[in-house]
Amino acid sequence: MTPPLKVLSLNIYIMGHITYQDVLEKTFGKHIPEIEFESIHLTDYFKQDFVGRLVYWLLSQQLPGSGKSDYHFHRFRTELALSFFARRCLEGRLKNYQPDVLHLHTQGIAFLALPLFKKFPSVVSIDYTAALLANQHPYPNHVTYQPIIAFEQKCFEAAAHIISWSDKARESVIKDYKISSEKVTTIRPSLPLNLFNSIARKPAKEDKIRLLFVGNDFARKGGEDLLAVFLEDFMNVCELDIVTNANLNLPNIPNLRIHRGIRPLSLDLINLYQKADVFVMPTYEEVYGLVFGEAMAAGLPCIGTNIMAVPELVQNGRNGFTIAPGDRQALSQSLRQLIDNPALRLLMGQYSQEFARKKLDAVEQCQQILQIFRDIV
């Protein structure tokens, strides 16, 4: 009997990357015995490494007067500090565990681990690239991305394979970093679709339409725009559920509910997806948008923005609408179309669910990742 392939996976383990790693761990552990997936969460080791914490603190200090310009390269210094800490985590674990493959997510924690890439076949998974971010941020900010781009270049060249969350990021790796297309594969963050199997959509409903927003960074995710449009146009005909841990100082508003402490893919969150009719997140910055995938798996039409990789999920006119960030008039018009047309909601929700079945199934996605691990070994 062939022994399982041993993979040591290190994840930055913040924000949506926590969900990504949790799905990998559970899917490989329950459904794919051909792999032994040993997972390291960077934040778990942070408390144990005094030297790593000290270097991180020194490198990531904010200097006075920087504002939003990042003239003192805080973004680069922070990524370098995380990479220093990640290298120490890997070396500590490798003293007692010898994998067949290294997997690092994302590229920012791999900058100083390249000597290890020479010892172990390595896969780096990414959500976006600094080259794309540099193009999307005006001078002088884009200048401060250049050292990050240089480190990413070396990382992508040294990796045996690169897994991209989106086609947009994959194309950037190929075009901006001159990496062979055969070395880069788009595999979107997956979902345990069985969690959503019990959700069934009905053609119409007599009670108020329920809108759902999920985002802890309320302002950056467009929550203020949605709230303003809801209060002005829809508070008498709709209900709005806001899932966030942001500190919102709001009075008691009819038909508005704020849910705090909801964990990703928890039963409480699945229940909110089930009760919702439309998912809305008019975000200002979103390199991917995991919650759009969750809403699609729940069979919901989605309203997002036409930025970054969001249009790869929310396909305008098919499973929802994409608008320009901050365009409250377009947001109101898109909501009105879905609120007034039950058949359109149902049809777009069906397209959402179809996309999720084809592109976001955790078992199928992890089988693809396993094949990449096998190929590089």
Side-chain angles (χ1 to χ4, degrees), residues 90-101:
L90 283 171
E91 289 180 334
R93 188 67 185 91
L94 288 170
K95 291 178 181 178
N96 302 310
Y97 187 81
Q98 290 296 299
D100 300 302
V101 176

Side-chain angles (χ1 to χ4, degrees), residues 186-210:
T186 298
I187 302 179
R188 304 183 189 280
S190 54
L191 291 167
L193 296 183
N194 61 293
L195 294 179
F196 300 88
N197 286 344
S198 62
I199 297 178
R201 297 293 164 194
K202 297 180 180 180
K205 58 186 299 184
E206 297 179 358
D207 51 348
K208 290 183 173 66
I209 300 300
R210 290 184 63 158

Side-chain angles (χ1 to χ4, degrees), residues 68-73 75-76 129-150 152 177:
K68 295 183 179 181
S69 67
D70 195 27
Y71 77 92
H72 60 320
F73 292 83
R75 187 183 299 105
F76 168 62
T129 70
L132 286 171
L133 291 171
N135 291 333
Q136 292 158 358
H137 290 79
Y139 181 87
N141 282 4
H142 79 278
V143 175
T144 66
Y145 281 101
Q146 299 312 308
I148 302 177
I149 293 172
E152 286 187 346
Y177 299 84

